Amino acid sequence: MTDVFVGIDVSKAQPMLSRDEESEAISIATLDERVREKLTLGETALLAMHYWGLDATDAAYARRSAAVMFGQQGGHPSLVAVVDLIDNQ
């Protein structure tokens, strides 16, 4: 007979974004007029990453959110848009 150990770890952390959530975040950010006004010629969405607040005063603390980084391909990000994936804004 072998011993089986089962452990449960409780955390307030959220799981990483799915590919669908990354695509949704990029779409939401790209369609936002405030973002489009700040982009220069040739800047596009480079990537989307899970974003959460460490402080309860940050809206992303309790909301599923993503940071979408924009810039020139192969360059550094020039703009970061934080997207609320629950309200699509």
Side-chain angles (χ1 to χ4, degrees):
M1 185 168 145
T2 59
D3 292 334
V4 176
F5 174 76
V6 176
I8 297 176
D9 187 23
V10 178
S11 171
K12 291 185 179 187
Q14 296 179 5
M16 299 295 290
L17 295 177
S18 69
R19 289 184 188 229
D20 288 342
E21 287 175 312
E22 290 175 1
S23 295
E24 181 182 350
I26 290 170
S27 177
I28 293 166
T30 302
L31 292 173
D32 191 296
E33 189 63 36
R34 296 168 295 177
V35 172
R36 292 178 24 196
E37 288 174 353
K38 291 183 175 32
L39 296 177
T40 61
L41 186 62
E43 289 184 324
T44 61
L46 301 174
L47 68 125
M49 299 173 60
H50 185 212
Y51 177 83
W52 66 94
L54 296 175
D55 184 310
T57 61
D58 187 342
Y61 181 79
R63 308 283 294 178
R64 187 85 168 138
S65 302
V68 180
M69 297 177 197
F70 291 87
Q72 299 284 341
Q73 290 294 328
H76 296 286
S78 60
L79 176 70
V80 178
V82 177
V83 175
D84 179 334
L85 292 168
I86 295 173
D87 288 337
N88 296 326
Q89 60 183 353

